Amino acid sequence: MAKALDLSPLKVCLVSAEVTPFAKTGGLGDVTAALARHLHRLGVDVRLFFPFYSITDTGPFELLADDSLRHVPVRFGERELVFSVFDARLPRTDLDVHLIHAPDLYHRPGIYTNDVDEHLRFAFLSRAAIESCQRLDWSPDIFHCNDWHTGLLPLYLKSHYAWDDLFTDSRTVLTIHNVGYQGVFPASAVEGLELGDQASLLDEEDLEAGRLNFLKTGILHADLLTTVSPTHAKEIQTAEYGCGLDRQLRARSDDLVGVLNGVEYEEWDPVDDPLIPFAYSRRELAGKEKNKQALLDELSLPADSQAPVVGVVSRLAEQKGFGLFPEVLPELLAARDLHLVVLGTGEERYEEFFRELESRDPMKVSFTNTFDNALAHRIEAGSDLFLMPSLYEPCGLNQMYSLRYGTVPVVRKVGGLADSVIQYDAETGNGTGFLFEEFSAAALRRALEAALDLYPNPERWQQLMRNGMAKDFSWDRQIRKYVDLYRRRGADEAK
Ligand code: GLC
């Protein structure tokens, strides 16, 4: 029996650069929104702070100025910056989340920039969250930071804010969603960040080399580190996957835990997904075929095609393994009857590759070069296979969405992909997808061909689909692991 959770006054200050649906470039936004939503549902007092960008999607939301957090000055060396907080309701909750309004810093063309004050934009985020707690006289048990953007927060608590008794019992958790992005700036950036004398707590080697690394600083100073899958927690302690931080991560291996992200089945379930034309379920699969025909039609592919549809929904970044495609896809498309449906934006070289692939064979390939959440749902519903050959993948969400939509994932056995997809075994009929280990074109080709060879066998294919659809990656289970971690930290410190 699950043990009863002690939820007495657990207070969590969650800080992130992205929160879906307000501002998102990837999974980070989905996961911080989900964390806030599910912690709140468990009764945790969670307050979520994030920047109010000019590109923040405020469309359907009512934004209310927070009276207690107006024109708050924050000094950075010679500069005084000011923020105010606006509150908005997080969808599907009665939780108000806090947008930090500081137009000087956040009114830029995108969420992230290459501007000279990029370090300041996110150092400011950490400080605005801390300063808000001070003004609210609210003492969090946990500051939960996410990725490099919030990497300085633990050190700020130990330095600039060390005097404040409000935070004596506060502990810090840093979740690493992507170790590949570290926030590395010239060491001169340290000037004016107000890290006080404790600037000596920054990594010496880095400073000597003339760098300041936000993520590394977080890894050195957070009380507890997490990443978004158990396999990735091991991987990042190796030179192959640590992106230069494996030594620091190994040094903290006792404090590093992998918790697989959950899925918001309220948004991602074909049984009642308002964004797909035909509902279906594990018991009643017929709607899937209709979604496929509708998708083909929508994308101007031959609407009566019986050939398998392979879907890709992704940031078009090296991390996602697209480097393998030029050696595999053109040949496969020439040799086999199949459709490739791609949605995403990113690096020019990959956009160019998919454009070229589409123009070469527009009856087989469709490339939609935008980010479009509704189309992402229709692709999940209308595809037969989902391709995710990632070079590294801390967790990955689309493979878990695919499983629920009966869209068989073909993935590299890495990070969260290895923790969520089980290799199909033709003999037993067990398994949920196709995995390959080596990051090579040959290994990817073998996995794809194995999947395409099975596809014409409807009985086996449907069993495979159903195996995946029966899997449950809901947040309900995962969120409890975070609560245990927050608590565990408290117990450790009390010893
Ligand atoms: C990053 C990772 C992805 C993970 C997401 C949310 O985008 O690349 O694997 O699912 O963060 O944690």
Side-chain angles (χ1 to χ4, degrees), residues 142-155:
I142 299 289
F143 280 94
H144 189 157
C145 310
N146 294 276
D147 274 353
W148 75 261
H149 324 104
T150 50
L152 296 189
L153 194 150
L155 182 53

Side-chain angles (χ1 to χ4, degrees), residues 450-461:
L452 292 168
D453 288 345
L454 188 77
Y455 180 77
N457 184 328
E459 243 165 68
R460 288 186 169 213
W461 190 262

Side-chain angles (χ1 to χ4, degrees), residues 26-29 31 147 175-178 228 261 315 319-320 392-397:
L28 171 64
V31 172
D147 274 353
T175 295
I176 302 170
H177 299 263
N178 201 327
V228 286
N261 287 329
R315 277 185 289 124
Q319 176 202 341
K320 300 295 177 178
Y392 71 96
E393 196 61 75
C395 176
L397 295 166

Side-chain angles (χ1 to χ4, degrees), residues 291-303 309-313 339-344 358 361-370 372 374-383:
N291 282 298
K292 173 172 171 175
Q293 298 308 326
L295 179 70
L296 291 170
D297 192 37
E298 170 182 358
L299 299 175
S300 307
L301 296 168
V309 174
V310 180
V312 174
V313 178
H339 300 290
L340 178 73
V341 168
V342 181
L343 170 66
E358 180 188 55
D361 204 342
M363 287 295 107
K364 284 190 166 176
V365 180
S366 155
F367 174 41
T368 309
N369 191 193
T370 51
D372 178 339
L375 181 55
H377 283 246
R378 294 196 294 276
I379 291 176
E380 286 289 5
S383 303

Side-chain angles (χ1 to χ4, degrees), residues 333 351-367:
L333 283 160
E351 295 189 347
E352 188 52 44
F353 169 75
F354 287 120
R355 263 198 297 274
E356 159 80 28
L357 211 59
E358 180 188 55
S359 69
R360 224 187 291 168
D361 204 342
M363 287 295 107
K364 284 190 166 176
V365 180
S366 155
F367 174 41

